[in-house]
Amino acid sequence: MNVQQSIPPLPVIAVVGATGAVGIEIINCLESRDVPVGELRLLASARSAGQHLPFRGSDVLVQELTERSFDGCNIVFFSAGASVSRKYAPLAVAAGAVVVDNSSAFRMDPNVPLIVPEANGGTIAPHAGIIANPNCVAAIATTALAPLQRCWAITRLNMVTYQSASGAGAAAMDELRQATAAAVNEEPFEQQIMPHPMAFNLFSHNAEIDPETGYNGEETKVIAETRRILGLPRLPVGITCVRVPVLRAHSIALSVRFDGFVSPESVRDKLSNAPGVRVVDDIENNHFPMPCEASGIEDVLVGRIRTDLIDPTGQTIAMFISGDQLLKGAALNAVQIAENLLAQQVTSQAA
Amino acid sequence: MNVQQSIPPLPVIAVVGATGAVGIEIINCLESRDVPVGELRLLASARSAGQHLPFRGSDVLVQELTERSFDGCNIVFFSAGASVSRKYAPLAVAAGAVVVDNSSAFRMDPNVPLIVPEANGGTIAPHAGIIANPNCVAAIATTALAPLQRCWAITRLNMVTYQSASGAGAAAMDELRQATAAAVNEEPFEQQIMPHPMAFNLFSHNAEIDPETGYNGEETKVIAETRRILGLPRLPVGITCVRVPVLRAHSIALSVRFDGFVSPESVRDKLSNAPGVRVVDDIENNHFPMPCEASGIEDVLVGRIRTDLIDPTGQTIAMFISGDQLLKGAALNAVQIAENLLAQQVTSQAA
């Protein structure tokens, strides 16, 4: 199928995985951003069905996800893992909905646009009913990189991450809190969710590693998705993904090489006017992006903008960024994609 | 003065800053490594004097540091900050002692060797009475880099750090514990030591920033000291220093370019046989260097050894390392320097 589904002005919107960390933030974003919603349908596994979640002053019942859940839906957010998306997203499309998929299931499918609105929102159409929401690191990084790429060609990229527990879901956030409470009370604690202790510790990202390359699945995803979002399929990307004891914001040390000299001042200037970006680069007060200030806000914080001394030609800029993993790294970006779909609908109906 | 002080087989050893986080670890290392000690003299500010610290079954009185403290001393460890070292280290040398200085006061003085025994222990003589102990990041990184540099020329280096609270002293470690306890109990907390919240947060290293370059004092030190220890004064070094909520081990994402192709297997092989290094690179079990396993041990843990994809020529290797900031990053390295001095004494007396 290769059609643009028609979306009414007050759409029926469903959220699959509504009770998860990202699902709850999708509901919050729909509310806080005043997205027009005719009906909100909350879907989850049988285990989570029966709960109620607040939305615009009402309590909405969470229903069990079934093959018939999508009747009458216009937009369906999926945030319940790749296998649920693979099984149910085609059913949602067949029922006439547009899917915004937060899983990795379709991100590298050439028929599925992979969208960060600030970076490549213009490529959302044509689509075949599914729009993919990127990996959190790729979404946060490209929000800061795209405004630069519009001015100067990026020729090399290095990313070293400080990734929060939220990337592994609400259970991992709980485990970080519990493990840390046990540590400060000098009590024993046995982790169940993460493979390694989280309290006052950090570790290489727990995604499976390709023994051929030595890169883990998270790193491989970030490389492929960053290249795809930036439209630079051959960009050399170095990456190290690390989990740190932080609750819900990812930070990334970025090093970006351009095809000519670029000054830190010009980068700071471009980013100061970029959507979705807030420059926090106060050298005098040693105040730069921090997870505690990035958490709960929509903008990606960018600072430590300086010439990277690794490159004596002055063509490389180093930066440090922090972004809310659940917002720009997941729910907010998904809701922004839906807003783009709604806006295009308005445009095409006006035309 | 440019003499080699004579050190007797059972030297009088003093520790300036004995009650600090590093001072206590120096005393522990002297004990655990069976360093011959005729007399241990513990020195501190008036505020800390009067305490007793355990050493080999006795309690040693901490005395107030004065200009007369060094009479009869053979080796004096300084770990009380650069201004104390600048004032008192020359007095200790004048009294006939060799100083092992843990501060930054003399590290770039061309008359003062800057020593990581595994990397450049052979350059400890000649000296003029003071040997400098490097910055913790430089010491930990060069322990892992030196064995590689002996095989292949290093042409470029990038370091992104995950630095523990211990680098800012025992008070910062306490603040991390207290701030985190408050956070898990949802109580307010006002930080006194660090400029930013430490609980479940991270921030760019708090050293002062040069507004010209955008690099902070920690980064500048690590670049200069790493170049000096490796004997590569013009090496391009990129660096980002970040404090993370970890108690006492630093981690570093390293990217090292060589002047030709180097395979991850050959790097792993060289590091497996290198002193002071333990390879922890278990792809199958996703087990790599972690602060919780590096804390309290002498070896620097090295893993995630792989070809860095940022460099399509295959000449760059990425690694992830963790080392105890108080041990290899400070006290252990200082005690190893003293051991080298004692061993040379034995050698020169035998000659």
Side-chain angles (χ1 to χ4, degrees), chain A residues 156 160-162 180 196 201-202 204 206-207 209 214-215 219 237 239-240 286 288 291-292 304 306-307 309-310, chain B residues 156 160-162 180 196 201-202 204 206-207 209 214-215 219 239-240 245 286 288 291-292 304 306-307 309-310:
Chain A
R156 198 165 70 196
V160 176
T161 75
Y162 302 72
T180 307
H196 302 297
N201 192 36
L202 54 84
S204 181
N206 51 300
I209 294 161
Y215 283 79
E219 291 162 347
V237 181
I239 186 162
T240 301
N286 213 311
F288 302 108
C292 71
R304 296 293 329 266
R306 63 205 194 276
T307 298
L309 299 175
I310 204 171
Chain B
R156 197 165 71 196
V160 176
T161 74
Y162 301 73
T180 308
H196 302 296
N201 191 36
L202 52 85
S204 180
N206 51 300
I209 294 161
Y215 284 79
E219 292 162 345
I239 185 162
T240 301
N286 213 312
F288 302 107
C292 70
R304 296 294 326 268
R306 62 206 194 275
T307 299
L309 299 176
I310 203 170

Side-chain angles (χ1 to χ4, degrees), chain A residues 156-158 160-162 176-177 180-181 184-185 195-197 199-211 213-216 219 223 227 236-242 244-247 251 253-255 282-293 304-312 318-320 322, chain B residues 156-158 160-162 176-177 180-181 184-185 195-197 199-211 213-216 219 223 227 236-242 244-247 251 253-255 282-293 304-312 318-320 322:
Chain A
R156 198 165 70 196
L157 174 63
N158 195 53
V160 176
T161 75
Y162 302 72
L176 172 57
R177 284 192 205 92
T180 307
V184 296
N185 295 320
H196 302 297
F200 301 121
N201 192 36
L202 54 84
F203 47 87
S204 181
H205 194 285
N206 51 300
E208 201 179 339
I209 294 161
D210 179 350
T213 65
Y215 283 79
N216 64 48
E219 291 162 347
I223 293 171
R227 285 172 169 167
V237 181
I239 186 162
T240 301
C241 285
V242 175
V244 294
V246 164
L247 283 162
S251 303
L254 282 167
S255 171
D282 181 352
I283 285 178
E284 199 177 333
N285 296 303
N286 213 311
H287 185 192
F288 302 108
M290 294 189 282
C292 71
E293 293 186 348
R304 296 293 329 266
I305 300 166
R306 63 205 194 276
T307 298
D308 192 330
L309 299 175
I310 204 171
D311 179 4
M319 307 189 287
F320 192 76
S322 288
Chain B
R156 197 165 71 196
L157 174 64
N158 196 54
V160 176
T161 74
Y162 301 73
L176 172 57
R177 284 191 205 91
T180 308
V184 296
N185 295 320
H196 302 296
F200 301 120
N201 191 36
L202 52 85
F203 48 87
S204 180
H205 194 285
N206 51 300
E208 201 179 340
I209 294 161
D210 178 350
T213 65
Y215 284 79
N216 64 48
E219 292 162 345
I223 293 172
R227 285 172 168 169
V237 181
I239 185 162
T240 301
C241 286
V242 175
V244 294
V246 164
L247 283 161
S251 303
L254 282 167
S255 170
D282 181 352
I283 285 178
E284 200 176 333
N285 296 302
N286 213 312
H287 185 191
F288 302 107
M290 293 188 282
C292 70
E293 294 186 348
R304 296 294 326 268
I305 301 166
R306 62 206 194 275
T307 299
D308 193 328
L309 299 176
I310 203 170
D311 179 3
M319 308 189 287
F320 193 78
S322 288

